[in-house]
Amino acid sequence: MLHAVIMAGGIGARFWPKSRRNNPKQVIDLLGEGPMIQQTLRRISDIVPLENRWIVTNQEQADLFVKLIPELADARFIIEPMGRNTAPAIGLAAVRLLKEDPDAVMLVLPADHRIGDHYAFRSCLLTAAEIVKDSEALATIGIEPTRPETGYGYIQIDRSQPQIRENVFPVKTFAEKPNPQTAKLFLESGEFFWNSGMFIWRADSIMRHIHDNLPDWYSGLQNIRVALDTDKEKEVAQRVFHSNKGISIDYGVMENAQDVIIIKGNFGWSDVGSWDEVWRVRDHDAQGNALEGEAITVDASDNLILAKDKMIAVLGLSKLAVVETDDVILICPLAEAQRVRDIVVALEKKNQLKYL
Amino acid sequence: MLHAVIMAGGIGARFWPKSRRNNPKQVIDLLGEGPMIQQTLRRISDIVPLENRWIVTNQEQADLFVKLIPELADARFIIEPMGRNTAPAIGLAAVRLLKEDPDAVMLVLPADHRIGDHYAFRSCLLTAAEIVKDSEALATIGIEPTRPETGYGYIQIDRSQPQIRENVFPVKTFAEKPNPQTAKLFLESGEFFWNSGMFIWRADSIMRHIHDNLPDWYSGLQNIRVALDTDKEKEVAQRVFHSNKGISIDYGVMENAQDVIIIKGNFGWSDVGSWDEVWRVRDHDAQGNALEGEAITVDASDNLILAKDKMIAVLGLSKLAVVETDDVILICPLAEAQRVRDIVVALEKKNQLKYL
């Protein structure tokens, strides 16, 4: 059976001031299309039955999600005792799914992606699920790059082996976020695709790979499996997560695994990771400004201006993010949007809790 | 007798969004020291008797001033029927003063100057008044330049004639706002001083000069003089101002007059004409940021940040003006502060009256 496993940990400090401890990025309407986690769930609702829709996050955020977006109460929550990156979160989900469904096929989907063409997206997932359901293959979705982006990881296809079917290739290597020069080479090569962070595999396949590559986590996850649905479940999970180091699925498993395949995805994807991506994805006026709320620009171009209560006037400035919330106004260059978390760190140091 | 004539026309579109039609620049607390017109009045209160303190402005603003700053009700208002620049405003004041006091000595003071050393300022005014009270001389106050400023007019002293007394010189020429190269030459010469726009003269002296240089205005002002304190006063003044063209005192009188002297003023003067000057005059933190209200800066220097209701966070940006009011947030480079009025023009075009 097909299961959707939506990865929804993290509060998204890069979306401060909209993201807060009690208002994580997943529930914010960053693009004017509704909260991204809601969109993510809705996108797969045609292909995954209700009881197979899972959200992996911590307890605090699970409570917030349901409180802020009542529709999410229909999903089932898998609770991470603490953030330990993607490999343990995926392993925890695999163990939970296997208890109910030994043939479970997992669609691992980050909660904060934007997809332009939902039909093509679902078709791509179904193709992947079809391929992996009777094999041990680990499938990833690779996005054809449109610019020499340095903010994503890349996956190289293996040209020395035969193509598997249309838009499906064997994988040669995973590459970390490149420098600008390397990113340009990747783009020109035609062999490199953006690593979307979406994966499709049988739950038992990924457990086998965790066994081979992350034996400590494998044995911890086995302990959790035994405790599932007992009154010791929480305590055991807590102990296992506490005593093992966090690691990503890419680094911990994918980069070492054989039998990894890539499905070429072409459905208007973006990883909405910071304000510059929000600017990129939103509609622009003739000067390239992406505006929400009341704003006026004079000799100002390519800005992201999200007004709320006040009218925002920008004169003679370009490529800025200006974000207004109930209590904060953020101003920074779009090119520095990754550093917004530095403000969060500075506020923590000053103990300015009300703005966190 | 000594009279203070405070020139307070104009709403100051360059201080938008703080300055509005119903909140002109004179009544705004731009520097955190109280409204500038109030400061201007208080500065001369030790040397000018209450009944000799005059404010020249239009009726609408006079009403606003008294409503917003009750203390101003103690001053006497001279109402310009419409804005016609400084020469007619000064002529109107001279006519009014002469009716009460044929020996009136006028201190003509713009309402929007900032003075650091009040004692030195008053001492300078008294020196000037002492010199002009028994002569026909027109005195100006010249500020020793500290940078090659292109935003001010300059006055050149006449080295070919003997110095009049300590810090008092005959004037050779008035120079318009220079380009950067010329401003540098002015600064290096030691002969050029900033034109402060402050003047000291007998009321009958300036009327004689208006007679010689602006005969149409002179005869109009004579008509107003005859109508003063009759029920025709308003109508006559309206007609005279309507039918004559506006002209500045500098261009209309000072540049052509003989017997002009300059008093060197050294009392921490600035003409607070736009947001960049507000930044310059205010206190700075270690990164050169001038802050009011709640603000946090990360890797940001030399900014003017005036927060009101919200916390303003600025990351990775320098030399910006960020000004928050009840309903607006302005963001522009300090170097473009003169162009803030372009926003006002754009709002007028869009008929966005509530922001004007």
Side-chain angles (χ1 to χ4, degrees):
Chain A
M1 285 274 281
L2 203 53
H3 296 250
V5 176
I6 295 173
M7 310 291 282
I11 64 155
R14 278 175 296 184
F15 286 114
W16 186 89
K18 291 227 185 198
S19 66
R20 300 292 180 93
R21 287 194 177 165
N22 58 3
N23 203 44
K25 65 174 173 181
Q26 296 89 347
V27 304
I28 304 169
D29 184 2
L30 286 168
L31 305 176
E33 303 172 338
M36 283 193 291
I37 192 169
Q38 190 177 41
Q39 297 300 312
T40 303
L41 264 175
R42 286 183 182 172
R43 274 199 296 272
I44 51 83
S45 63
D46 281 356
I47 58 171
V48 176
L50 186 58
E51 66 277 14
N52 291 1
R53 299 176 201 159
W54 306 85
I55 295 174
V56 185
T57 189
N58 61 48
Q59 187 65 55
E60 197 186 355
Q61 299 218 120
D63 296 342
L64 272 170
F65 291 166
V66 172
K67 188 179 133 206
L68 298 171
I69 311 176
E71 180 181 330
L72 297 192
D74 289 343
R76 300 172 73 185
F77 283 87
I78 295 168
I79 301 302
E80 296 174 279
M82 65 191 69
R84 280 288 183 251
N85 211 328
T86 48
I90 287 168
L92 188 67
V95 158
R96 160 59 65 193
L97 266 55
L98 284 169
K99 176 151 190 198
E100 295 190 7
D101 178 3
D103 281 320
V105 170
M106 301 167 69
L107 309 174
V108 178
L109 306 171
D112 50 2
H113 287 178
R114 198 238 177 206
I115 306 290
D117 181 345
H118 294 188
Y119 181 83
F121 172 70
R122 283 189 290 263
S123 158
C124 178
L125 290 182
L126 291 175
T127 299
E130 175 67 25
I131 294 172
V132 303
K133 85 171 168 21
D134 301 316
S135 83
E136 296 192 6
L138 304 183
T140 72
I141 294 181
I143 310 293
E144 204 156 354
T146 52
R147 58 180 188 273
E149 174 67 50
T150 57
Y152 300 149
Y154 284 71
I155 304 171
Q156 185 181 18
I157 63 177
D158 190 348
R159 291 263 189 230
S160 70
Q161 291 187 51
Q163 184 167 345
I164 294 161
R165 62 163 90 170
E166 201 190 342
N167 292 328
V168 185
F169 306 85
V171 165
K172 188 171 177 187
T173 52
F174 280 70
E176 309 263 317
K177 294 177 187 180
N179 62 37
Q181 252 180 323
T182 310
K184 221 171 144 238
L185 290 176
F186 284 180
L187 181 66
E188 285 161 2
S189 73
E191 291 184 7
F192 283 82
F193 293 79
W194 287 337
N195 181 353
S196 71
M198 293 190 275
F199 305 103
I200 307 96
W201 46 54
R202 287 179 61 93
D204 54 10
S205 297
I206 193 64
M207 285 311 291
R208 210 168 298 123
H209 282 278
I210 290 175
H211 172 270
D212 294 348
N213 291 288
L214 303 169
D216 290 346
W217 272 109
Y218 183 80
S219 79
L221 289 166
Q222 288 307 318
N223 293 340
I224 294 173
R225 183 181 63 82
V226 171
L228 279 180
D229 300 325
T230 72
D231 45 5
K232 289 200 171 161
E233 174 180 346
K234 216 167 159 181
E235 181 202 321
V236 173
Q238 183 78 37
R239 183 159 36 79
V240 169
F241 271 67
H242 187 79
S243 57
N244 286 284
K245 271 197 285 192
I247 188 163
S248 74
I249 196 77
D250 298 76
Y251 186 72
V253 173
M254 302 305 286
E255 291 183 13
N256 313 309
Q258 303 300 311
D259 210 6
V260 179
I261 62 173
I262 182 169
I263 326 284
K264 222 166 96 177
N266 186 7
F267 38 68
W269 172 86
S270 51
D271 174 14
V272 185
S274 58
W275 292 118
D276 57 336
E277 191 65 20
V278 171
W279 170 76
R280 206 193 310 274
V281 170
R282 278 181 169 257
D283 292 336
H284 302 119
D285 68 13
Q287 284 73 46
N289 295 303
L291 307 175
E292 181 179 283
E294 272 199 279
I296 186 167
T297 58
V298 174
D299 190 18
S301 56
D302 300 333
N303 297 290
L304 173 71
I305 305 177
L306 304 181
K308 190 175 176 298
D309 309 319
K310 309 207 178 192
M311 196 270 276
I312 298 181
V314 176
L315 165 77
L317 289 164
S318 292
K319 299 186 181 173
L320 293 193
V322 181
V323 180
E324 184 198 4
T325 65
D326 281 339
D327 56 350
V328 171
I329 300 154
L330 164 71
I331 307 163
C332 78
L334 286 169
E336 308 254 23
Q338 303 283 339
R339 291 178 59 207
V340 166
R341 57 169 93 203
D342 292 354
I343 298 178
V344 176
V345 171
L347 289 168
E348 278 166 354
K349 269 192 200 153
K350 289 178 150 197
N351 213 23
Q352 293 264 46
L353 302 179
K354 66 175 169 167
Y355 297 121
L356 296 177
Chain B
M1 286 273 283
L2 202 53
H3 295 252
V5 176
I6 296 172
M7 310 291 281
I11 64 157
R14 279 175 295 185
F15 286 114
W16 187 88
K18 291 227 184 196
S19 67
R20 300 292 180 91
R21 288 196 175 164
N22 59 3
N23 203 45
K25 64 174 173 181
Q26 295 89 349
V27 304
I28 305 168
D29 184 3
L30 286 168
L31 305 176
E33 303 171 338
M36 284 192 290
I37 192 169
Q38 190 177 42
Q39 297 300 313
T40 303
L41 264 175
R42 287 184 182 171
R43 274 197 296 270
I44 50 84
S45 62
D46 281 355
I47 59 172
V48 177
L50 186 58
E51 65 277 15
N52 290 1
R53 300 176 200 159
W54 305 85
I55 295 174
V56 185
T57 188
N58 61 48
Q59 187 64 58
E60 198 187 353
Q61 299 217 121
D63 296 342
L64 272 169
F65 292 166
V66 173
K67 189 179 134 206
L68 298 170
I69 311 177
E71 179 181 330
L72 297 193
D74 288 342
R76 300 172 72 185
F77 284 87
I78 295 168
I79 302 302
E80 295 174 280
M82 65 191 68
R84 280 289 185 250
N85 212 328
T86 46
I90 287 168
L92 188 66
V95 158
R96 160 60 65 193
L97 267 55
L98 284 170
K99 177 151 189 197
E100 296 191 6
D101 178 4
D103 282 319
V105 170
M106 302 167 66
L107 309 173
V108 178
L109 306 171
D112 49 2
H113 286 178
R114 199 238 177 206
I115 306 291
D117 181 345
H118 294 188
Y119 182 81
F121 172 70
R122 283 189 289 264
S123 158
C124 179
L125 290 182
L126 290 176
T127 299
E130 176 66 27
I131 294 172
V132 302
K133 85 171 168 19
D134 300 315
S135 82
E136 295 191 7
L138 305 183
T140 73
I141 294 180
I143 310 293
E144 203 155 355
T146 52
R147 57 180 189 272
E149 174 66 51
T150 58
Y152 300 148
Y154 284 71
I155 303 170
Q156 186 181 15
I157 62 178
D158 190 348
R159 291 259 188 235
S160 71
Q161 292 187 51
Q163 185 167 342
I164 295 163
R165 63 162 92 168
E166 200 191 345
N167 291 327
V168 184
F169 307 85
V171 165
K172 187 172 179 187
T173 53
F174 280 71
E176 309 264 316
K177 294 177 187 179
N179 61 38
Q181 251 179 322
T182 309
K184 220 170 146 241
L185 290 176
F186 283 0
L187 181 65
E188 286 160 1
S189 74
E191 291 184 6
F192 284 83
F193 292 79
W194 288 337
N195 182 351
S196 71
M198 294 189 275
F199 306 103
I200 306 94
W201 47 54
R202 286 178 62 92
D204 53 10
S205 298
I206 193 65
M207 284 311 290
R208 208 167 299 122
H209 283 277
I210 290 175
H211 172 270
D212 294 347
N213 292 289
L214 303 169
D216 290 347
W217 273 109
Y218 183 81
S219 76
L221 289 165
Q222 288 306 319
N223 294 338
I224 294 173
R225 183 181 62 80
V226 171
L228 279 179
D229 301 325
T230 72
D231 46 3
K232 288 198 172 163
E233 173 179 348
K234 215 168 158 179
E235 183 202 321
V236 173
Q238 182 79 36
R239 184 158 35 78
V240 170
F241 271 68
H242 187 79
S243 57
N244 286 285
K245 271 196 288 192
I247 189 161
S248 73
I249 196 77
D250 298 76
Y251 187 72
V253 174
M254 303 304 287
E255 292 184 13
N256 313 307
Q258 304 300 313
D259 209 6
V260 179
I261 61 172
I262 182 168
I263 326 284
K264 224 166 96 178
N266 186 8
F267 38 67
W269 173 87
S270 51
D271 174 15
V272 185
S274 58
W275 291 119
D276 56 336
E277 192 64 21
V278 172
W279 170 75
R280 204 191 312 271
V281 170
R282 277 179 169 259
D283 292 336
H284 302 120
D285 69 11
Q287 284 73 46
N289 295 303
L291 308 174
E292 180 180 284
E294 273 199 279
I296 185 167
T297 58
V298 174
D299 190 18
S301 56
D302 300 333
N303 297 290
L304 173 71
I305 305 177
L306 304 180
K308 190 178 176 297
D309 308 319
K310 308 204 177 192
M311 197 271 277
I312 298 181
V314 176
L315 165 76
L317 288 164
S318 292
K319 298 184 181 173
L320 293 193
V322 181
V323 180
E324 183 198 6
T325 66
D326 281 339
D327 56 351
V328 171
I329 300 153
L330 164 71
I331 306 163
C332 79
L334 285 169
E336 309 254 24
Q338 303 285 339
R339 291 178 60 207
V340 167
R341 57 169 95 203
D342 292 354
I343 298 178
V344 176
V345 171
L347 289 167
E348 277 166 354
K349 270 193 198 152
K350 288 179 150 193
N351 213 23
Q352 295 261 48
L353 302 180
K354 66 174 169 166
Y355 297 122
L356 294 178

Short mmCIF file of all heavy atoms in Angstrom, two decimals, chain A residues 32 56 82 114 161 163 177 183 203 217 223 237 255 277 334:
data_model
loop_
_atom_site.label_atom_id
_atom_site.label_comp_id
_atom_site.label_asym_id
_atom_site.label_seq_id
_atom_site.Cartn_x
_atom_site.Cartn_y
_atom_site.Cartn_z
N GLY A 32 0.88 32.87 -0.35
CA GLY A 32 -0.48 33.31 -0.66
C GLY A 32 -1.33 32.19 -1.22
O GLY A 32 -2.34 32.42 -1.88
N VAL A 56 5.57 13.47 10.19
CA VAL A 56 6.62 13.24 11.18
C VAL A 56 7.07 14.58 11.74
O VAL A 56 7.51 15.46 10.99
CB VAL A 56 7.84 12.52 10.55
CG1 VAL A 56 8.87 12.18 11.64
CG2 VAL A 56 7.42 11.28 9.80
N MET A 82 13.07 13.97 19.54
CA MET A 82 13.84 15.21 19.36
C MET A 82 14.36 15.21 17.93
O MET A 82 14.37 14.17 17.26
CB MET A 82 15.01 15.28 20.35
CG MET A 82 16.07 14.23 20.17
SD MET A 82 17.23 14.18 21.54
CE MET A 82 16.17 13.54 22.84
N ARG A 114 7.08 23.71 -2.89
CA ARG A 114 6.02 24.25 -3.72
C ARG A 114 6.03 23.50 -5.05
O ARG A 114 7.11 23.29 -5.64
CB ARG A 114 6.27 25.74 -3.95
CG ARG A 114 5.04 26.47 -4.40
CD ARG A 114 5.25 27.13 -5.71
NE ARG A 114 4.01 27.75 -6.15
CZ ARG A 114 3.76 27.97 -7.41
NH1 ARG A 114 4.64 27.64 -8.34
NH2 ARG A 114 2.63 28.53 -7.76
N GLN A 161 25.42 3.18 -17.50
CA GLN A 161 24.45 2.09 -17.40
C GLN A 161 23.21 2.44 -18.22
O GLN A 161 22.93 3.60 -18.46
CB GLN A 161 24.04 1.90 -15.94
CG GLN A 161 25.16 1.35 -15.06
CD GLN A 161 24.64 1.03 -13.68
OE1 GLN A 161 23.63 0.33 -13.53
NE2 GLN A 161 25.31 1.55 -12.67
N GLN A 163 19.55 3.34 -19.37
CA GLN A 163 18.41 4.05 -18.78
C GLN A 163 17.36 3.02 -18.40
O GLN A 163 17.18 2.01 -19.09
CB GLN A 163 17.86 5.03 -19.83
CG GLN A 163 16.73 5.90 -19.32
CD GLN A 163 16.42 7.06 -20.28
OE1 GLN A 163 17.23 7.37 -21.17
NE2 GLN A 163 15.27 7.66 -20.11
N LYS A 177 26.01 20.71 -1.76
CA LYS A 177 25.81 22.05 -2.34
C LYS A 177 27.12 22.52 -2.96
O LYS A 177 28.15 22.57 -2.29
CB LYS A 177 25.38 23.04 -1.25
CG LYS A 177 24.02 22.74 -0.67
CD LYS A 177 23.66 23.71 0.46
CE LYS A 177 22.35 23.26 1.13
NZ LYS A 177 21.94 24.15 2.22
N ALA A 183 28.66 24.62 -9.71
CA ALA A 183 27.24 24.63 -10.05
C ALA A 183 27.06 24.87 -11.54
O ALA A 183 26.19 24.28 -12.19
CB ALA A 183 26.51 25.70 -9.24
N ALA A 203 9.20 0.33 2.71
CA ALA A 203 9.66 0.57 4.08
C ALA A 203 10.70 -0.48 4.47
O ALA A 203 11.71 -0.17 5.12
CB ALA A 203 8.49 0.56 5.05
N TRP A 217 21.66 3.02 14.77
CA TRP A 217 20.28 3.47 14.63
C TRP A 217 19.36 2.28 14.35
O TRP A 217 18.24 2.23 14.86
CB TRP A 217 20.14 4.52 13.51
CG TRP A 217 20.38 5.92 14.00
CD1 TRP A 217 21.45 6.71 13.73
CD2 TRP A 217 19.53 6.67 14.87
NE1 TRP A 217 21.34 7.91 14.37
CE2 TRP A 217 20.15 7.92 15.08
CE3 TRP A 217 18.30 6.41 15.49
CZ2 TRP A 217 19.59 8.91 15.88
CZ3 TRP A 217 17.74 7.39 16.29
CH2 TRP A 217 18.38 8.63 16.49
N ASN A 223 14.47 -1.62 18.88
CA ASN A 223 13.95 -1.49 20.24
C ASN A 223 12.65 -0.70 20.26
O ASN A 223 11.71 -1.04 20.97
CB ASN A 223 14.98 -0.78 21.14
CG ASN A 223 16.22 -1.63 21.34
OD1 ASN A 223 16.19 -2.85 21.14
ND2 ASN A 223 17.32 -1.00 21.72
N ALA A 237 11.75 5.39 22.79
CA ALA A 237 12.08 6.27 21.67
C ALA A 237 12.96 7.43 22.14
O ALA A 237 13.97 7.77 21.52
CB ALA A 237 10.80 6.80 21.02
N GLU A 255 24.15 8.12 -0.13
CA GLU A 255 25.44 8.26 -0.81
C GLU A 255 26.21 6.95 -0.86
O GLU A 255 27.11 6.79 -1.69
CB GLU A 255 26.28 9.35 -0.11
CG GLU A 255 25.69 10.73 -0.32
CD GLU A 255 26.52 11.86 0.27
OE1 GLU A 255 27.69 11.61 0.65
OE2 GLU A 255 26.00 12.99 0.35
N GLU A 277 13.64 32.66 -2.10
CA GLU A 277 12.84 31.71 -2.88
C GLU A 277 11.37 32.13 -2.90
O GLU A 277 10.68 31.96 -3.91
CB GLU A 277 13.00 30.30 -2.32
CG GLU A 277 12.43 29.21 -3.20
CD GLU A 277 13.14 29.07 -4.53
OE1 GLU A 277 14.30 29.53 -4.66
OE2 GLU A 277 12.52 28.52 -5.47
N LEU A 334 17.73 40.24 -0.29
CA LEU A 334 17.32 38.88 -0.63
C LEU A 334 18.53 37.95 -0.68
O LEU A 334 18.46 36.80 -0.28
CB LEU A 334 16.59 38.87 -1.98
CG LEU A 334 15.16 39.43 -1.96
CD1 LEU A 334 14.64 39.62 -3.38
CD2 LEU A 334 14.22 38.51 -1.18
#
